[in-house]
Amino acid sequence: MRLIIFGPPGAGKGTYASRLGHELGITVVSTGDIFRQEVRRNTNLGRKAAEFLSSGELVPDQIVTGILAKKIHADDAKHGFILDGYPRTIEQARALDKMVKIDAVIRLTVPERIIVERLSNRRVCKKCGAIFNLKYLKPKEPGVCDNCGGELFQRGDDLPQVIRERLKVYESQTQPLVEYYKDELPILNIKCSSARIPPEIIVREILRKLQKANLLV
Ligand code: ADP
Ligand code: ZN
């Protein structure tokens, strides 16, 4: 199964994708996670990507697409994958079309006030990448990851002015992809109308919709 999880920053893509990947036994490819890791390791790629990440802009298409191609042809993706954060532009979607056939798009819609609240309260584990929220998905012990005991931190792009820029970029460059896929692929619409809905509920709804679309065997 090859899925795209699509939605604005703060829609919960990463949170749901990792749980869903676990349920379905497929890997999650998150371009944002890949870039953050490269930045942390201060690799060549990381140095190229850093300024885009910290300003909330998109990393240029050629760079992203090259990396993605490698990931989806890797061994751990042979049973399928969920793409989180890719494609983000029409050009990326075209490049993806040439690489592989996607089965469906999971489209998350969230009111903007929830987005901002989620992003500004988000904390991420330094070690394993697990996502928490100071209001809605609290770690059991403050500042400590439930999964691995790692230290939690706030992403540099989860600050108000960068959040605004990311939302702008999403609206102008990524949102148009809905039109692009509308007639090509099943789009499973998932509405998150409250930040209080536990992730399990959303994941269950996604699974239900995959089943209804005959995508689960
Ligand atoms: P979110 O969806 O919460 O904004 P991500 O973790 O998906 O965050 O992405 C963080 C940043 O990584 C983006 O703001 C952008 O700079 C870069 N990035 C991730 N995926 C892509 C992509 N497909 N194309 C271009 N830039 C990307
Ligand atoms: Zn952790």
Side-chain angles (χ1 to χ4, degrees):
M1 173 134 44
R2 298 174 181 133
L3 302 169
I4 294 172
I5 191 157
F6 181 87
K13 298 186 295 290
T15 305
Y16 308 140
S18 73
R19 290 165 194 245
L20 194 64
H22 196 77
E23 292 279 331
L24 298 171
I26 57 181
T27 190
V28 177
V29 178
S30 159
T31 44
D33 281 353
I34 294 170
F35 288 131
R36 278 186 291 278
Q37 201 172 60
E38 298 287 328
V39 171
R40 257 200 318 276
R41 291 190 188 142
N42 194 24
T43 60
N44 256 334
L45 172 61
R47 283 193 293 274
K48 275 188 229 159
E51 58 170 312
F52 299 103
L53 265 71
S54 59
S55 65
E57 281 165 63
L58 295 184
V59 176
D61 286 337
Q62 319 81 279
I63 300 181
V64 195
T65 300
I67 293 159
L68 187 94
K70 248 191 255 157
K71 290 281 171 189
I72 63 177
H73 295 118
D75 216 38
D76 61 349
K78 65 171 183 265
H79 299 299
F81 51 75
I82 304 172
L83 298 183
D84 163 13
Y86 189 99
R88 248 179 162 92
T89 62
I90 299 276
E91 191 179 320
Q92 290 181 14
R94 291 204 181 107
L96 182 64
D97 276 347
K98 288 192 195 130
M99 284 184 242
V100 60
K101 163 120 185 51
I102 299 294
D103 296 301
V105 177
I106 300 159
R107 179 187 176 210
L108 307 172
T109 49
V110 191
E112 185 161 325
R113 69 188 153 74
I114 296 185
I115 292 179
V116 176
E117 205 175 2
R118 275 217 179 125
L119 292 175
S120 47
N121 289 301
R122 172 158 72 181
R123 296 293 183 274
V124 186
C125 173
K126 259 189 189 154
K127 238 161 105 188
C128 76
I131 302 162
F132 297 87
N133 186 290
L134 297 185
K135 273 190 151 160
Y136 303 108
L137 202 64
K138 285 188 196 160
K140 291 198 184 85
E141 201 184 313
V144 181
C145 174
D146 290 0
N147 298 347
C148 77
E151 189 189 331
L152 303 184
F153 77 107
Q154 181 169 35
R155 272 170 50 174
D157 60 350
D158 280 347
L159 299 171
Q161 65 281 36
V162 189
I163 291 175
R164 275 196 295 276
E165 178 61 26
R166 284 159 63 205
L167 288 171
K168 251 198 266 166
V169 168
Y170 175 77
E171 263 166 42
S172 63
Q173 307 204 49
T174 307
Q175 177 70 28
L177 284 175
V178 176
E179 281 299 306
Y180 179 91
Y181 283 123
K182 189 175 78 183
D183 302 316
E184 303 297 321
L185 291 177
I187 297 187
L188 315 180
N189 283 303
I190 306 286
K191 248 199 212 127
C192 319
S193 47
S194 151
R196 278 168 219 283
I197 306 174
E200 301 78 59
I201 303 287
I202 303 279
V203 170
R204 220 181 300 148
E205 195 187 335
I206 296 173
L207 288 168
R208 218 170 20 234
K209 294 212 166 166
L210 284 169
Q211 187 146 40
K212 236 171 107 189
N214 276 323
L215 290 164
L216 291 186
V217 278

